[in-house]
């Protein structure tokens, strides 16, 4: 008989899918807020949403992050391209104990639908929400879609803060149970006007942002300048800043991104470094690690947000080799004794002609 494993940090002993016990000064019952408020260097990442209705496609993509990240962004139709919804991905991730960050883009829904999704997500156990305006529909593969933009990222932050702190809808109608949430936003220190970016961050903090994730950082000196200004304005005392990083697959990829993806700044020196490498993909990973090692030493940086689109298998290596966790292991889903039984039973139901009743199934399981 195997000895019982010690309780895992930041896990509800009554069930991995259940929220943590509330703590003073915390607005959510999730792990990410706890990690950041303890002063630990946080690591978040993004799950590439599938073009599929198969839940296993989500679980397989989440497994590769096990034990390496503190939260996983559930992307909401980024680039105005349709995939499995952020709400759907969050429903699947929370069921298995993962800590998702539910992205909400204002492009596709009005304030009525958004407020309903906020309540639904919180009821499922989502503790973190990232408020985005969203790319215009012309950026995606269905440019004839009708954009909504009833809210923008700023008013969305204010809306959810009012729901959480005042217990009311925007209409003023009272909520029976307000959502307990840790609110996030996106910032881009690398897009003009550069002097305005720290000021804009302050506006998002005033609207309700408690953590922010930045756009990809490939220009560390520019990011240092942004952080210095953010410190001077007192922002780093009010918000947790996670620097966006990610590997580049090749110099060709870097050039394409620089020319075709608005808001991403890639200096010539980065492209030259990739062009001079024998193995450009490996060099792209090394470059990401080097950037992490630089930004983690900048005062006011609370973590990194690793975006490895179509290179998700590198996230564990990047986090490990950068040493940002300093020996700490983020929450990892442990295999449970009944996992195999449940999987076998589902396979049995899906592929065999079964007439067994639910009562019989329960008896067999026990």
């Amino acid at each position: 008989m195997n000895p019982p494993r010690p309780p895992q940090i930041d896990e509800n002993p009554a069930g991995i899918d259940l929220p943590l016990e509330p703590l003073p000064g915390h607005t959510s019952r999730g792990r990410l807020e706890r990690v950041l408020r303890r002063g630990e260097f946080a690591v978040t990442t993004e799950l590439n949403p599938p073009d599929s209705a198969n839940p296993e496609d989500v679980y397989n993509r989440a497994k590769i992050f096990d034990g390496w990240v503190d939260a996983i962004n559930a992307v909401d139709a980024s680039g105005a391209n349709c995939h499995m919804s952020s709400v759907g991905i969050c429903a699947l991730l929370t069921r298995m104990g993962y800590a998702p960050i539910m992205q909400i883009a204002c492009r596709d829904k009005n304030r009525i639908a958004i407020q309903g999704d906020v309540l639904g997500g919180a009821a499922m156990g989502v503790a973190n929400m990232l408020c985005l305006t969203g790319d215009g529909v012309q950026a995606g593969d269905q440019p004839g879609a009708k954009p909504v933009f009833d809210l923008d990222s700023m008013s969305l932050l204010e809306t959810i803060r009012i729901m959480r702190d005042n217990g009311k809808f925007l209409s003023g109608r009272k909520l029976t149970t307000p959502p307990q949430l840790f609110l996030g936003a996106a910032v881009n220190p690398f897009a003009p006007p550069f002097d305005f970016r720290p000021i804009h961050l302050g506006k998002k903090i005033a609207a309700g942002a408690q953590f922010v994730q930045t756009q990809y950082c490939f220009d560390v000196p520019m990011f240092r300048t942004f952080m210095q200004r953010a410190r001077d304005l007192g922002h780093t005392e009010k918000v947790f800043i996670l620097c966006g990083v990610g590997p580049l697959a090749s110099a060709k990829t870097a050039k394409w991104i620089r020319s075709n993806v608005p808001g991403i700044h890639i200096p010539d020196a980065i492209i030259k470094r990739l062009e001079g490498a024998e193995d450009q993909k490996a060099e792209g990973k090394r470059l990401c690690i080097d950037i992490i090692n630089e930004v983690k030493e900048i005062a006011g940086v609370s973590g990194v947000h690793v975006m490895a689109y179509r290179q998700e298998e590198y996230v564990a290596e990047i986090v490990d080799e950068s040493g940002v966790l300093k020996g700490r292991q983020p929450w990892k889903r442990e295999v449970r004794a009944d996992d195999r039984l449940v999987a076998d039973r589902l396979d049995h139901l899906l592929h065999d002609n079964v007439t067994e009743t639910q009562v019989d199934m329960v008896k067999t399981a026990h």
Side-chain angles (χ1 to χ4, degrees):
M1 179 181 293
N2 295 326
R5 68 181 180 90
Q8 192 162 31
I9 189 169
D10 295 336
E11 181 178 296
N12 192 324
I16 60 171
D17 58 328
L18 299 176
L20 303 172
E21 290 299 314
L23 287 179
H26 290 57
T27 60
S28 77
R29 297 172 66 180
R31 287 193 297 271
L32 179 60
E33 183 177 9
R34 290 194 176 197
V35 167
L36 288 167
R37 292 198 186 281
R38 285 198 298 257
E40 296 170 344
F41 198 84
V43 179
T44 60
T45 192
E46 291 189 351
L47 187 146
N48 180 27
D51 294 339
S52 164
N54 186 346
E56 286 303 315
D57 290 341
V58 172
Y59 294 141
N60 289 336
R61 295 176 190 208
K63 285 176 186 175
I64 61 175
F65 303 135
D66 266 6
W68 295 105
V69 304
D70 296 296
I72 302 172
N73 281 35
V75 177
D76 188 14
S78 64
N81 291 306
C82 185
H83 310 283
M84 184 186 289
S85 72
S86 176
V87 174
I89 291 171
C90 286
L92 296 169
L93 293 181
T94 55
R95 182 187 304 174
M96 305 300 280
Y98 292 107
I101 298 173
M102 189 170 106
Q103 292 190 2
I104 303 177
C106 297
R107 173 190 56 246
D108 306 314
K109 298 175 182 177
N110 66 17
R111 67 191 67 188
I112 298 172
I114 287 174
Q115 289 173 92
D117 281 351
V118 168
L119 294 183
M124 292 185 301
V126 174
N128 317 289
M129 292 191 180
L130 189 78
C131 300
L132 305 167
T133 298
D135 301 309
V137 295
Q138 68 277 4
D141 58 3
Q142 299 182 62
K146 186 175 181 179
V148 180
F149 292 114
D150 186 25
L151 303 174
D152 60 14
S153 61
M154 209 79 74
S155 55
L156 175 56
L157 281 166
E158 292 174 342
T159 296
I160 302 177
R161 179 174 54 80
I162 289 169
M163 294 174 70
R164 183 193 66 197
D165 297 348
N166 298 354
K168 295 179 180 180
F169 289 110
L170 282 182
S171 66
R173 185 159 50 91
K174 289 185 178 180
L175 294 169
T176 304
T177 304
Q180 296 175 295
L181 297 168
F182 191 46
L183 296 184
V187 295
N188 190 353
F190 315 104
F194 304 114
D195 291 343
F196 177 67
R197 294 302 163 185
I199 298 171
H200 193 235
L201 171 59
K203 293 178 181 293
K204 290 196 173 185
I205 294 170
Q210 297 166 286
F211 74 96
V212 295
Q213 296 171 328
T214 81
Q215 180 58 277
Y216 284 103
C217 174
F218 294 110
D219 191 328
V220 177
M222 185 178 289
F223 183 63
R224 287 185 196 277
T225 301
F226 169 82
M227 288 301 301
Q228 179 63 59
R229 183 63 177 144
R231 290 194 300 271
D232 291 344
L233 292 171
H235 295 341
T236 55
E237 303 299 318
K238 303 172 185 175
V239 71
F240 298 101
I241 299 175
L242 281 69
C243 180
V245 296
L248 290 166
S250 66
K252 181 179 178 181
T253 299
K255 289 178 180 178
W256 186 92
I257 291 173
R258 186 167 71 173
S259 300
N260 295 279
V261 183
I264 298 183
H265 166 64
I266 303 178
D268 290 340
I270 296 295
I271 293 174
K272 288 180 180 178
R273 174 173 169 176
L274 292 170
E275 287 176 332
E278 185 175 340
D279 184 339
Q280 293 192 11
K281 195 168 187 178
E283 188 65 21
K285 187 187 81 169
R286 183 71 250 171
L287 171 67
C288 181
I289 294 169
D290 290 345
I291 290 173
I292 291 175
N293 282 325
E294 287 191 69
V295 301
K296 73 182 182 183
E297 302 299 330
I298 298 175
V301 175
S302 299
V304 288
H305 178 54
V306 186
M307 297 172 281
Y309 179 65
R310 293 186 178 177
Q311 297 188 78
E312 289 87 351
E313 69 277 6
Y314 280 162
V315 170
E317 294 178 30
I318 289 169
V319 175
D320 184 33
E321 293 177 31
S322 68
V324 287
L325 293 176
K326 298 180 179 179
R328 175 179 72 88
Q329 184 181 53
W331 182 90
K332 180 178 182 180
R333 185 177 183 275
E334 303 290 353
V335 177
R336 297 182 297 174
D338 61 343
D339 281 356
R340 186 69 262 165
L341 174 65
V342 172
D344 288 345
R345 178 64 66 188
L346 286 172
D347 186 68
H348 182 51
L349 288 171
L350 288 169
H351 298 100
D352 298 338
N353 292 322
V354 182
T355 58
E356 187 176 20
T357 67
Q358 289 184 339
V359 173
D360 291 333
M361 287 171 59
V362 172
K363 287 180 180 178
T364 303
H366 291 280

